Amino acid sequence: TENGVLYVRERGDGGAWQITFPTLVRVGTGSDWEFRFESDNYALQHGTRGLTDPTVGFKHKFYDDGVEISVLFKLNIPVGNRAYRAEGVEPDLKFLFSYEITDGLELEWNVGMASRVDKLTGKRLGQIQYVTSLTQDINETLAVYGEIAGEGPDQLGNPTTHVFDAGFLIKLNSETQLDIEYYRGLSSSGVDWGIGMGLSRRWYVDRTAAHCINLGTVPS
């Protein structure tokens, strides 16, 4: 599991801010399959507060020879508080790539598209998304990473946005990791800056098997 807290301040709108408490639960059912539950849980924004929509889905690794390639499918379920609820079910499909450049240095990137419902018009929009990241191990307990992510507009007339984030991955023990991250917007709108912290914990159903429940906040 991965659980954390994220504070983000937006550009424009007088510096609007939002605090969320993201959770990601990943259940591995073998070396190639992973089923996922994801949610920001509860959001606070300028006096508006409430539960957010949950997302369910799966990840499947179908190639692993030099470059690891996986597919990630998610489905957003519109059952949250009205202020944060999507106008309909929103599917999301990504292809994920991972390559170990050297021992301890890993490159990851993903590209995909989500189907969003414009809250003003009710029309569906195809939203292109991407993430590129580099992670470098410093020692056995500490790693640093940096990534650039972007996504197309979720409403007609809105711009495409890009954001950079970097942080530390601190291994507390063999099954627990602390993440500390900083966000900086690269676009004229969207995120201005943000900070986040998450705690990841791996739970084994059967220590003699490869299957595990992976419980915590790392965006994918």
Side-chain angles (χ1 to χ4, degrees), residues 18-131:
Q18 184 178 68
I19 300 175
T20 54
F21 303 87
T23 290
L24 171 61
V25 177
R26 300 183 288 172
V27 181
T29 58
S31 60
D32 297 332
W33 285 92
E34 175 184 285
F35 293 88
R36 303 161 64 102
F37 171 86
E38 190 173 353
S39 177
D40 284 336
N41 290 311
Y42 194 79
L44 303 170
Q45 184 177 23
H46 281 288
T48 302
R49 61 189 67 191
L51 299 175
T52 62
D53 293 343
T55 298
V56 295
F58 67 85
K59 178 182 176 182
H60 175 54
K61 181 175 67 177
F62 60 87
Y63 183 83
D64 189 3
D65 187 8
V67 176
E68 181 181 302
I69 305 176
S70 305
V71 61
L72 174 62
F73 176 78
K74 300 190 293 184
L75 201 63
N76 185 80
I77 311 299
V79 296
N81 179 276
R82 188 69 189 92
Y84 305 108
R85 187 191 316 155
E87 295 300 311
V89 174
E90 298 182 337
D92 185 315
L93 180 66
K94 293 186 178 74
F95 288 92
L96 293 75
F97 307 86
S98 177
Y99 174 66
E100 190 171 358
I101 300 173
T102 63
D103 186 24
L105 178 61
E106 186 174 25
L107 171 67
E108 296 179 295
W109 68 101
N110 68 65
V111 291
M113 178 172 287
S115 175
R116 304 299 187 207
V117 181
D118 187 325
K119 287 191 174 185
L120 296 179
T121 66
K123 295 181 179 180
R124 282 199 173 268
L125 304 174
Q127 183 187 57
I128 296 175
Q129 304 171 330
Y130 77 89
V131 178

